[in-house]
Amino acid sequence: MLSYPCPTVLELIDLRRRFGDTVALDGVSFEVPEGRIVGFVGRNGAGKTTAMRIALGVLQADEGTVRWRGAAVDTATRRRFGYMPEERGLYPKMRVVEQLVYLARLRGTPKEAARARAEELLTTLDVVGDPNARVESLSLGNQQRVQLAAALVHRPELLVLDEPFSGLDPVGVDVLSAVLRRAATEQGAAVVFSSHQLDLVERLCDEVVLIDHGRVAAHGTIRELRASRARNLWRVEVRGANDGWWQVVPGAVAVESGDGVVMLELNDGVDPQRVLDVARSGGDVVGFGPVQPSLGELFREVVA
Amino acid sequence: MSAADRGAWRLVAVRDFWVRLRERSFLISTLLNVAVISVLVLARASGGLGGAPSFDLGVVGGPDELAIANAAAARAHDASISMQVEPFETAADAEAALRGGSVDAVLSPGQLAGMHGIDATLIALVQTSAHAAAVDAVFQQHHVPQAQREAASNDAPLDVGVLDPPPPHRDDNAAIAFIGVLLLYGQLFGYGLWVATGVIEEKSSRIVEMLLSAIRPRQLLAGKILGIGVLGLCQLLAIAGFAIGLGTATGAIEVPGTAIGAAALDIGWFILGYAFYASLFAAAGSLVTRIEELQNVIVPINLTILVSFIISVGSLQDPNSTIAVVASILPVSAALAMPVRMVLGAAPGWQIALSLTLLIGSAIALVPIGARLYEGAVLRTGSRVKLRDAWRAA
C-alpha cells in the first residue's frame, strides 16, 4: 500500500450489523483520508447503504465503532457531516431556499450564512427554476440537485452520498463530478459515494472500497487494485495465423479468442516478446499490447 | 444536552409551529371552533340552553287583567326572570299571536291560555298575581286600610331553604364546563392527530433520514410535539378569549370570573392531556409510512379519547357518579373528565391531587416509551412496523 499524504479523518472499525437473520455488515473496516474522494462499490445488498448509515449515526452498529479525527463521533461532530441518502427526501411543500436554510441551521450554520450559501449552491448546481418554488413543483432532476445542495449547504468536512449519480443526465453527472472534486480539493472535504457506474468511479475517485457480502473485498487506488488483482493479460491480433498458434508458448493461456483476436493470460516468467515472436512467425501482427482491466472487470472478478 | 442540541429542537418546533399555522386545516379548525362556540353562546344568550327563562305574556280584557299581568311581570323581575307583557285589542289577535309563537300564553278574564302547554313557572307567576288581586279585591270591599292590604299581599310568608344548596350559578357553570370539554376534546384529538400525521409526512417523504443525520430522534420528536402543542395552546387561548368575550357581551355568561377560571383550568388540563397523548400519537404515526394507514394504528388512542369525552359530557348531569369520579382520576381520561367536575365544583381536593399526580407521572413515564418506539420505527419504511420490533430496534 502507498502511504497517503493526507491524514485519515474517518475510520470505520470492524462494523457489524444484523437485521433479523440477515447479516448486513460482517466486520467492515476502512479509512477515508482528508481531501480524498472514495468510491464505494459493491453489488446490491452488499452492505453499502448500511455502512454509510452507520458512519453518519443514522443507524447503530451492533458492534464496531466509527471515529472522526481519532475521536468517537458525537452529535456535534455529526453536524459537520453532509449526507445524501439513497432514499431522496425533502419536505415536498417547503420552498427550496427555505428548506436548504432550515437544514443548514439544524446543523448549526447561522441563518444569514445559510441563506447566502444556499443561493450560491443553487446557482452552482444549475438548479433551474424559482428558488422560492415549492420542492414538489420542481422536475425530478432539479429535485436531485436540491438534494445535493442540502448535503453541501453547511460546508461539511465529510460528505457521504448514497448513489448520487443515479437518475442524472450526462450534464448533471458532469456538474456533480465537478462539485465533488471542488469539495475535496478546495474545501478539503473527505468524500465517500456509492455508485454502480464504475466508469465514473474510475474517473472520479482517488480510492475505491469494494464491499461484498458485508465485508471489504478490496480497498486501494485504482492502480493498486490493478496491481494486486489484475492478471497478466495481453491482447494479440494476428491476421492469417492458424487458430491456436499460441499453444507452442508454454505458460500462455487463452482467456478468450475469435476473429483473429486472442486474449492471453501469461503465467509468471513468460516473456511477452516470446509471444510476439511466435505471433509474427504465424502471420501479420496488427495489434499487440497489455490489457488494463477496467474497474468493472476487477469488480466482477472480486465478487464472482 | 449541549447548547447546539437545544437549538436543534427549537428549530424543529418553530418550523412545525409555522408550517401548521399556515395550513388550511388550521384555518378551518379555527373557524369551526369559532362557529360552534358562537352558536352555543348565542343559543344560551337567547335562553335556549337552560339559561334564565324569559316569557312573553299576552293580555286581553280590561285594566284588571293588565294589572294582574304587570304584577306577574314584577314578581318575575324579582326572581331574575324576564317577562314582557303585550296587550291585545281582541281575543282573535291574541290567539293569532299565540299561534304565531310571539307570546307564550294569553291572559284573558278568568283564563290563562297556552298553545301546547304553559311553563309551570309562568303559570305560578300569573296564578299568584291573580290570587293576590282577588284577595285584594275582597279586602277592599271590607275597607281594609291600604297599608295592611299591601303588607298582606307583598311578602312571601315562607322562607325557602335547602339542605344541600348547589354551587351558585350552577347552570352557568354547566354550560361553561360543556363548552370547555368540547374544546378540550377537539384540541387533544386534533393536535394529537397532527403530531401523528407530521411524523408520517417526514417518514413518507423520506426526509426523516436527512433530519436524523443532523439531529437525534428525540430532538426531532420533542421539537415536533412542542411546536404543534404550542400552536394548539395558542388556538385554545384565542378561542377561550373569544368565547368569554362573546358570552359576556351577549349576557350569556353572568359571571366572567367563573368563565375565566374555567378557561384557565381547561388550558392547564390541555397541556397535561396533550403531554400524555402526544408521544403516543407520535409513536403510532411512526409505525406506518402512508397517511392512509394511520387510521389502523390510532384507533385505540381515538377510542380512548372519545370514550373519555362521552363520560365527561355525561358527568355534567351527575359529576359525582362512580364512573365520573373514576374517569376523572384515571390518567387516560382525566384530562377531559376532571376539568368538568372541577368547573362544577364537584371534585374534592384529594381527588384533584390524585388525578394530577397520576396524569403527570404517567405522562413523564410515557414520553420515553413513545420516544423509544418512535426511534425504533421511524427509519423503517414500507410495511407497518410491529410494536415489538420497534421496541427492540431502538
Side-chain angles (χ1 to χ4, degrees), chain A residues 202-215:
Chain A
E202 199 169 344
R203 210 165 62 224
L204 193 59
C205 293
D206 304 303
E207 292 178 31
V208 174
V209 174
L210 203 162
I211 187 169
D212 190 43
H213 291 103
R215 292 169 165 276

Side-chain angles (χ1 to χ4, degrees), chain A residues 7-246:
Chain A
T8 291
V9 282
L10 179 71
E11 294 168 85
L12 309 187
I13 304 162
D14 200 27
L15 297 181
R16 290 167 195 277
R17 173 77 200 207
R18 287 169 159 275
F19 294 105
D21 293 333
T22 317
V23 178
L25 296 185
D26 191 16
V28 166
S29 304
F30 66 88
E31 299 171 353
V32 182
E34 193 171 52
R36 291 289 187 123
I37 302 182
V38 175
F40 201 28
V41 299
R43 302 170 64 179
N44 293 326
K48 299 188 296 291
T49 297
T50 304
M52 291 175 137
R53 283 178 159 185
I54 289 175
L56 281 153
V58 171
L59 197 69
Q60 302 303 311
D62 295 337
E63 285 173 55
T65 47
V66 179
R67 298 175 77 78
W68 176 256
R69 296 190 194 278
V73 175
D74 59 12
T75 317
T77 311
R78 295 193 320 146
R79 292 149 69 95
R80 304 205 295 268
F81 297 174
Y83 183 37
M84 180 169 180
E86 184 186 24
E87 307 267 22
R88 311 284 187 244
L90 295 166
Y91 287 111
K93 296 197 186 304
M94 210 169 171
R95 298 174 196 290
V96 174
V97 169
E98 223 178 287
Q99 178 137 233
L100 292 177
V101 170
Y102 176 64
L103 291 172
R105 291 185 70 199
L106 277 186
R107 292 176 182 275
T109 311
K111 195 175 182 179
E112 292 314 312
R115 180 164 294 276
R117 179 90 177 122
E119 281 164 2
E120 178 197 325
L121 268 171
L122 290 176
T123 314
T124 314
L125 290 173
D126 200 18
V127 176
V128 186
D130 181 5
N132 287 316
R134 292 178 198 278
V135 170
E136 62 186 356
S137 72
L138 298 182
S139 70
L140 280 181
N142 274 325
Q143 285 188 24
Q144 174 114 333
R145 288 165 198 227
V146 174
Q147 189 84 53
L148 182 70
L152 290 164
V153 67
H154 55 292
R155 291 188 189 274
E157 295 173 28
L158 170 70
L159 251 181
V160 178
L161 313 164
D162 204 345
E163 298 281 348
F165 291 98
S166 74
L168 284 185
D169 63 24
V171 177
V173 167
D174 291 345
V175 170
L176 177 52
S177 302
V179 167
L180 295 187
R181 264 271 156 246
R182 212 174 315 136
T185 54
E186 288 174 19
Q187 293 168 32
V191 180
V192 181
F193 76 88
S194 68
S195 180
H196 292 302
Q197 285 154 279
L198 298 176
D199 52 330
L200 199 65
V201 173
E202 199 169 344
R203 210 165 62 224
L204 193 59
C205 293
D206 304 303
E207 292 178 31
V208 174
V209 174
L210 203 162
I211 187 169
D212 190 43
H213 291 103
R215 292 169 165 276
V216 174
H219 178 198
T221 62
I222 302 275
R223 188 192 296 268
E224 285 168 347
L225 288 185
R226 281 195 183 120
S228 66
R229 289 282 166 177
R231 296 176 293 177
N232 190 12
L233 284 180
W234 291 76
R235 182 182 176 281
V236 191
E237 188 173 357
V238 191
R239 290 202 186 128
N242 296 327
D243 244 15
W245 57 263
W246 58 85

Side-chain angles (χ1 to χ4, degrees), chain B residues 7-27:
Chain B
W9 67 251
R10 224 175 269 166
L11 279 168
V12 174
V14 169
R15 194 199 87 91
D16 262 297
F17 180 90
W18 286 108
V19 165
R20 308 294 153 192
L21 182 66
R22 281 180 283 184
E23 260 177 39
R24 188 187 300 267
S25 44
F26 176 76
L27 184 68

Side-chain angles (χ1 to χ4, degrees), chain B residues 213-246:
Chain B
S213 72
I215 60 175
R216 311 295 325 170
R218 277 167 202 230
Q219 296 169 346
L220 181 58
L221 183 62
K224 181 167 290 301
I225 288 179
L226 277 172
I228 293 176
V230 168
L231 182 65
L233 195 59
C234 291
Q235 193 189 36
L236 195 56
L237 278 169
I239 292 169
F242 170 78
I244 292 170
L246 185 69

